Amino acid sequence: MLLLHGGRADGLAPSRPWHLAALRMRLFERAISAALPREDVLLARVRYRHRGWNDDRADPVRDTLDALGELAVLTGPVPTVLVGHSMGARAALHAAGHPQVRGVVALAPWWPPGEPTDQLTDRHVVVLHGALDRVTSPVEAAACLRRARSSTARAAMAVIRDGDHAMLRRHRFWHHTTAAAVAHLIAPTDRPDPLPAECYEAADAPVL
């Protein structure tokens, strides 16, 4: 499993592990680690060379694909779940076509109109978005997910009531739901899906 933290639209400065975007995901890392169904599941973080997406460079996507390649060398071709926040979620969604990727959990994703979705074919996609997010758009994310639904293995979206972009409001709910979703994607027969069936329907995403 790979974690991808957020970043900026533009920025060639180096990304550092003490930046707030990276520190924020440490809490998710702990929650996911505690919820993983087996001891033989590896949890790792993607290191970005730059803080920004940087237009057509899409630097975090290259970093994610490099990390998946390194993971394959280390562990072999094991199924991998990508968990990303904001810019990291956008990178995860772009990198989902990698043959190792089983699914993506996108937290408050930066998923603008016109994004490609073919790479999500036969992948599991879970989108969690805060109702009070003023940085990235749940409406745009929902539109992209609707386009992807015809080809994904399964696709779900839920809106977190009172949730903000930083995932600080109702943080325990964010952590618990994300961790349970990851555990279900890794071991679907052993761990229940934390999301109600309505999340998988084409109608508006339910508020949790």
Side-chain angles (χ1 to χ4, degrees):
M1 203 214 82
L2 284 176
L3 279 165
L4 298 86
H5 62 75
R8 299 175 174 177
D10 301 291
L12 295 176
S15 178
R16 302 299 190 192
W18 56 81
H19 289 154
L20 286 177
L23 293 175
R24 183 179 296 122
M25 292 304 288
R26 295 293 180 91
L27 299 175
F28 282 88
E29 182 178 353
R30 293 175 192 167
I32 293 169
S33 179
L36 290 177
R38 295 189 295 269
E39 293 183 356
D40 59 349
V41 178
L42 176 65
L43 198 157
R45 296 184 296 272
V46 175
R47 284 187 178 178
Y48 303 142
R49 287 166 293 179
H50 307 291
R51 296 188 76 176
W53 181 269
N54 299 318
D55 297 321
D56 292 340
R57 289 172 53 121
D59 287 313
V61 180
R62 292 192 296 160
D63 296 334
T64 304
L65 294 173
D66 287 348
L68 286 165
E70 293 175 13
L71 189 63
V73 171
L74 180 65
T75 65
V78 297
T80 304
V81 175
L82 305 179
V83 179
H85 172 237
S86 193
M87 182 191 76
R90 187 181 185 186
L93 291 161
H94 274 252
H98 190 283
Q100 281 181 232
V101 175
R102 171 181 290 179
V104 175
V105 179
L107 308 173
W110 175 24
W111 207 2
E115 289 283 272
T117 59
D118 289 347
Q119 76 280 4
L120 298 173
T121 299
D122 297 328
R123 302 301 191 262
H124 296 261
V125 181
V126 173
V127 175
L128 301 177
H129 222 301
L132 303 181
D133 198 326
R134 298 295 181 265
V135 179
T136 58
S137 170
V139 174
E140 291 179 354
C144 288
L145 190 67
R146 282 194 293 271
R147 285 195 292 111
R149 263 201 170 109
S150 61
S151 59
T152 58
R154 291 191 83 193
M157 179 171 177
V159 175
I160 309 301
R161 187 184 69 253
D162 298 329
D164 60 338
H165 186 72
M167 304 176 296
L168 297 176
R169 293 173 179 266
R170 300 188 66 201
H171 59 276
R172 290 185 180 86
F173 186 84
W174 280 97
H175 297 163
H176 171 77
T177 305
T178 301
V182 171
H184 175 68
L185 288 176
I186 291 174
T189 58
D190 298 331
R191 295 300 175 98
D193 191 340
L195 301 176
E198 294 85 352
C199 295
Y200 293 90
E201 298 175 356
D204 292 340
V207 179
L208 303 182

mmCIF file of all heavy atoms in Angstrom, residues 2 4 13-14 19 27 39 48 98 107 109 113 165 175 201:
data_model
loop_
_atom_site.group_PDB
_atom_site.id
_atom_site.type_symbol
_atom_site.label_atom_id
_atom_site.label_comp_id
_atom_site.label_asym_id
_atom_site.label_seq_id
_atom_site.Cartn_x
_atom_site.Cartn_y
_atom_site.Cartn_z
ATOM 1 N N LEU A 2 0.496 2.240 -0.804
ATOM 2 C CA LEU A 2 1.266 3.467 -0.903
ATOM 3 C C LEU A 2 0.423 4.671 -0.495
ATOM 4 O O LEU A 2 -0.726 4.803 -0.922
ATOM 5 C CB LEU A 2 1.763 3.680 -2.336
ATOM 6 C CG LEU A 2 2.951 2.831 -2.804
ATOM 7 C CD1 LEU A 2 3.226 3.110 -4.279
ATOM 8 C CD2 LEU A 2 4.191 3.124 -1.973
ATOM 9 N N LEU A 4 0.071 8.854 -0.506
ATOM 10 C CA LEU A 4 0.490 10.020 -1.270
ATOM 11 C C LEU A 4 -0.110 11.270 -0.641
ATOM 12 O O LEU A 4 -1.331 11.443 -0.633
ATOM 13 C CB LEU A 4 0.026 9.911 -2.727
ATOM 14 C CG LEU A 4 0.549 8.746 -3.567
ATOM 15 C CD1 LEU A 4 -0.330 7.506 -3.382
ATOM 16 C CD2 LEU A 4 0.542 9.129 -5.038
ATOM 17 N N ALA A 13 10.216 23.603 -5.632
ATOM 18 C CA ALA A 13 10.995 23.412 -4.412
ATOM 19 C C ALA A 13 10.882 21.958 -3.957
ATOM 20 O O ALA A 13 9.868 21.299 -4.194
ATOM 21 C CB ALA A 13 10.495 24.343 -3.316
ATOM 22 N N PRO A 14 11.893 21.434 -3.301
ATOM 23 C CA PRO A 14 11.838 20.042 -2.841
ATOM 24 C C PRO A 14 10.708 19.816 -1.838
ATOM 25 O O PRO A 14 10.411 20.678 -1.015
ATOM 26 C CB PRO A 14 13.210 19.831 -2.182
ATOM 27 C CG PRO A 14 14.088 20.895 -2.736
ATOM 28 C CD PRO A 14 13.190 22.074 -2.989
ATOM 29 N N HIS A 19 6.856 18.919 5.969
ATOM 30 C CA HIS A 19 5.801 19.808 5.492
ATOM 31 C C HIS A 19 4.453 19.323 6.019
ATOM 32 O O HIS A 19 4.228 18.111 6.201
ATOM 33 C CB HIS A 19 5.788 19.847 3.964
ATOM 34 C CG HIS A 19 6.968 20.568 3.374
ATOM 35 N ND1 HIS A 19 7.464 20.303 2.116
ATOM 36 C CD2 HIS A 19 7.759 21.554 3.885
ATOM 37 C CE1 HIS A 19 8.498 21.087 1.867
ATOM 38 N NE2 HIS A 19 8.691 21.854 2.931
ATOM 39 N N LEU A 27 -1.074 10.507 10.346
ATOM 40 C CA LEU A 27 -2.186 10.032 11.168
ATOM 41 C C LEU A 27 -2.989 8.975 10.425
ATOM 42 O O LEU A 27 -3.461 7.996 11.025
ATOM 43 C CB LEU A 27 -3.080 11.209 11.558
ATOM 44 C CG LEU A 27 -2.395 12.298 12.387
ATOM 45 C CD1 LEU A 27 -3.352 13.470 12.618
ATOM 46 C CD2 LEU A 27 -1.917 11.730 13.715
ATOM 47 N N GLU A 39 -0.253 -9.292 8.627
ATOM 48 C CA GLU A 39 1.060 -8.743 8.947
ATOM 49 C C GLU A 39 1.956 -8.636 7.719
ATOM 50 O O GLU A 39 2.964 -7.930 7.743
ATOM 51 C CB GLU A 39 1.747 -9.608 9.998
ATOM 52 C CG GLU A 39 1.061 -9.575 11.367
ATOM 53 C CD GLU A 39 1.807 -10.390 12.393
ATOM 54 O OE1 GLU A 39 2.814 -11.031 12.013
ATOM 55 O OE2 GLU A 39 1.387 -10.389 13.558
ATOM 56 N N TYR A 48 7.953 12.777 -3.058
ATOM 57 C CA TYR A 48 7.921 13.675 -4.213
ATOM 58 C C TYR A 48 9.251 14.418 -4.335
ATOM 59 O O TYR A 48 9.811 14.868 -3.339
ATOM 60 C CB TYR A 48 6.810 14.717 -4.069
ATOM 61 C CG TYR A 48 5.424 14.182 -3.876
ATOM 62 C CD1 TYR A 48 4.537 14.817 -3.008
ATOM 63 C CD2 TYR A 48 4.984 13.054 -4.546
ATOM 64 C CE1 TYR A 48 3.249 14.349 -2.823
ATOM 65 C CE2 TYR A 48 3.696 12.569 -4.364
ATOM 66 C CZ TYR A 48 2.833 13.223 -3.499
ATOM 67 O OH TYR A 48 1.568 12.756 -3.318
ATOM 68 N N HIS A 98 -1.154 1.485 -13.593
ATOM 69 C CA HIS A 98 -0.011 0.605 -13.365
ATOM 70 C C HIS A 98 -0.515 -0.801 -13.038
ATOM 71 O O HIS A 98 -1.472 -0.972 -12.271
ATOM 72 C CB HIS A 98 0.843 1.146 -12.212
ATOM 73 C CG HIS A 98 2.151 0.458 -12.051
ATOM 74 N ND1 HIS A 98 2.280 -0.782 -11.471
ATOM 75 C CD2 HIS A 98 3.412 0.836 -12.410
ATOM 76 C CE1 HIS A 98 3.545 -1.138 -11.463
ATOM 77 N NE2 HIS A 98 4.264 -0.174 -12.020
ATOM 78 N N LEU A 107 -8.808 10.950 -1.201
ATOM 79 C CA LEU A 107 -9.312 11.802 -0.126
ATOM 80 C C LEU A 107 -9.287 13.254 -0.580
ATOM 81 O O LEU A 107 -8.218 13.781 -0.924
ATOM 82 C CB LEU A 107 -8.452 11.631 1.128
ATOM 83 C CG LEU A 107 -8.237 10.191 1.613
ATOM 84 C CD1 LEU A 107 -7.230 10.165 2.759
ATOM 85 C CD2 LEU A 107 -9.553 9.559 2.034
ATOM 86 N N PRO A 109 -10.023 14.698 -3.342
ATOM 87 C CA PRO A 109 -9.146 14.735 -4.517
ATOM 88 C C PRO A 109 -9.245 16.031 -5.311
ATOM 89 O O PRO A 109 -10.316 16.610 -5.460
ATOM 90 C CB PRO A 109 -9.632 13.549 -5.351
ATOM 91 C CG PRO A 109 -11.072 13.388 -4.967
ATOM 92 C CD PRO A 109 -11.112 13.719 -3.503
ATOM 93 N N PRO A 113 -12.143 18.903 -14.173
ATOM 94 C CA PRO A 113 -12.846 18.430 -15.365
ATOM 95 C C PRO A 113 -11.866 18.068 -16.477
ATOM 96 O O PRO A 113 -10.807 18.681 -16.636
ATOM 97 C CB PRO A 113 -13.711 19.635 -15.760
ATOM 98 C CG PRO A 113 -13.853 20.437 -14.515
ATOM 99 C CD PRO A 113 -12.587 20.251 -13.753
ATOM 100 N N HIS A 165 -11.178 20.434 3.893
ATOM 101 C CA HIS A 165 -10.138 19.909 3.014
ATOM 102 C C HIS A 165 -8.978 19.296 3.789
ATOM 103 O O HIS A 165 -8.391 18.296 3.352
ATOM 104 C CB HIS A 165 -9.614 21.016 2.089
ATOM 105 C CG HIS A 165 -8.644 20.513 1.071
ATOM 106 N ND1 HIS A 165 -9.030 19.747 -0.007
ATOM 107 C CD2 HIS A 165 -7.284 20.651 0.975
ATOM 108 C CE1 HIS A 165 -7.970 19.438 -0.739
ATOM 109 N NE2 HIS A 165 -6.906 19.961 -0.162
ATOM 110 N N HIS A 175 -10.263 9.029 9.439
ATOM 111 C CA HIS A 175 -9.246 7.993 9.655
ATOM 112 C C HIS A 175 -9.877 6.608 9.644
ATOM 113 O O HIS A 175 -9.381 5.693 8.970
ATOM 114 C CB HIS A 175 -8.528 8.217 10.983
ATOM 115 C CG HIS A 175 -7.780 9.509 11.038
ATOM 116 N ND1 HIS A 175 -7.355 10.072 12.232
ATOM 117 C CD2 HIS A 175 -7.388 10.372 10.073
ATOM 118 C CE1 HIS A 175 -6.733 11.201 11.979
ATOM 119 N NE2 HIS A 175 -6.739 11.413 10.680
ATOM 120 N N GLU A 201 -23.894 3.821 -6.153
ATOM 121 C CA GLU A 201 -24.912 4.111 -7.150
ATOM 122 C C GLU A 201 -24.589 5.384 -7.898
ATOM 123 O O GLU A 201 -23.823 6.233 -7.448
ATOM 124 C CB GLU A 201 -26.272 4.190 -6.452
ATOM 125 C CG GLU A 201 -26.679 2.875 -5.793
ATOM 126 C CD GLU A 201 -27.967 3.007 -5.008
ATOM 127 O OE1 GLU A 201 -28.505 4.135 -4.917
ATOM 128 O OE2 GLU A 201 -28.413 1.978 -4.467
#
